[in-house]
Structures are given as structure tokens and as C-alpha cells.
Amino acid sequence: LVDKADVIITHGGVGSIITAITKGKKVIAVPRLGKYNEHVNDHQIQIVETFSNQGFIKGIKDVSELKETLREIDTFIPNKLESNTEHIINIIEDFIQNV
């Protein structure tokens, strides 16, 4: 379904956010909160804020902001996430070959 969607609305988990943005999707993320017993703590607030501040997603703090954010999402142009995985693999392979 992610492949077919234009916009992904998700919680603030790194895996969900990364899956969507690496597929070039526009993402609206809402952190799950401890006060609602959705999570053990509020670490998703920082995750959502970080991705949002870097321009990868539209992060909101509460679902009450969703309607307005959906109105704005068409004009949102997310930054593209560049993966460093291949570079890290090359460093590890070079290290192993030279040991």
C-alpha cells in the first residue's frame, strides 16, 4: 500500500518514517505518547521533530493538527534522504580485507 500511496500518515517510529521517505512519499507523522499509554516514553516526539526540522516530513504534535496539515501537504516538497549504507559497507569491507 505504501507504494500506491501519495501521502503516508504514520506514528513517529523511525522504521515507518524511513520506509515511506525512501520511497519518495510525503509523510505526516504524529508521535505516540506515554500520557495516552501508547508508548513507554515520549521518544517519538524527538524523532518526529528531527525528521520534520530537516525537511523530510511534516511532523505534528497532535492529531488535532492533521486536518490543516493535510491541506498543506500538496505544496510540501520533502528533502530527499540520502542513504550512507553503501559507503559504510565499503568501509567495513576495506577494513576486513586489510586485516
Side-chain angles (χ1 to χ4, degrees), residues 13-85:
V14 173
S16 298
I17 293 172
I18 294 288
T19 297
I21 62 178
T22 56
K23 292 179 179 269
K25 305 302 177 175
K26 294 182 179 187
V27 177
I28 299 171
V30 186
R32 292 170 41 192
L33 302 175
K35 71 180 181 181
Y36 300 126
N37 294 319
E38 298 170 328
H39 224 295
V40 295
N41 60 35
D42 291 336
H43 70 279
Q44 288 192 0
I45 293 172
Q46 184 178 11
I47 294 167
V48 170
E49 285 177 351
T50 300
F51 278 99
S52 186
N53 290 341
Q54 294 180 11
F56 296 116
I57 67 170
K58 294 289 275 186
I60 59 178
K61 294 182 176 149
D62 190 90
V63 291
S64 64
E65 301 171 55
L66 185 57
K67 187 174 182 179
E68 181 62 30
T69 306
L70 281 168
R71 287 188 188 122
E72 299 169 352
I73 200 70
D74 285 340
T75 59
F76 174 64
I77 301 171
N79 288 331
K80 184 175 167 90
L81 180 67
E82 298 295 330
S83 174
N84 236 359
T85 304

